[in-house]
Amino acid sequence: MSRGPEANFWSTIRKNLPEKCFATRIENKHGGGVPDVHAIWDGISFWAELKAVKNNKPKISPHQIAWNMAYWARGGNNFYLVKALSTKKVYLFGGDKGPELLEKGIEGAEGQSFEDLASLFAALRLCCR
């Protein structure tokens, strides 16, 4: 049985977690928009919605957008982590960027791009408020 691109993305993230970072993938088959991963890193917790895209636009459900917007608006640490399969770049977007991602894609939404996971984790650490 082959694994999908998001499962492979999670596997790569899991194998490259920084020290003192514990992450759990949430298998939510019932919807509701809860993100894929919950992590705690040296006392700072955050949620991450994982997406892997062949083209510019990730598939984000209205429930995912609503959950992330509500959590972000209340001061939560939550993000969209998007892997571009064509370039291997990884993108980081705040939890409030779901509508923008859906409309403009990874190249048009306000976020950051990274060539490797170490750079992503360094930026993620700075983003957590």
Side-chain angles (χ1 to χ4, degrees):
M1 181 182 211
S2 68
R3 294 167 41 109
E6 283 179 18
N8 290 333
F9 185 28
W10 161 243
S11 181
T12 302
I13 289 171
R14 186 174 40 90
K15 290 175 186 171
N16 291 282
L17 289 172
E19 279 189 44
K20 298 185 180 181
C21 185
F22 175 78
T24 303
R25 180 139 188 222
I26 309 298
E27 292 292 336
N28 183 357
K29 305 257 187 232
H30 303 289
V34 176
D36 300 312
V37 176
H38 182 263
I40 187 158
W41 183 6
D42 201 19
I44 298 170
S45 66
F46 60 92
W47 288 92
E49 180 64 46
L50 304 181
K51 296 294 178 186
V53 296
K54 292 179 184 175
N55 57 27
N56 184 44
K57 290 190 178 180
K59 294 179 182 173
I60 304 172
S61 76
H63 290 294
Q64 290 169 328
I65 290 172
W67 192 99
N68 278 283
M69 292 288 288
Y71 196 80
W72 184 270
R74 287 157 182 83
N77 290 316
N78 57 306
F79 306 94
Y80 293 92
L81 298 180
V82 184
K83 181 173 184 173
L85 299 173
S86 60
T87 64
K88 309 290 188 219
K89 284 185 181 179
V90 180
Y91 294 80
L92 173 66
F93 300 94
D96 62 334
K97 299 300 180 195
E100 193 175 336
L101 268 171
L102 193 60
E103 180 184 336
K104 298 177 182 176
I106 58 176
E107 295 299 329
E110 183 182 338
Q112 300 174 52
S113 68
F114 304 93
E115 299 291 331
D116 57 64
L117 288 177
S119 300
L120 166 76
F121 285 124
L124 187 59
R125 181 75 177 179
L126 294 174
C127 288
C128 290
R129 35 196 167 125

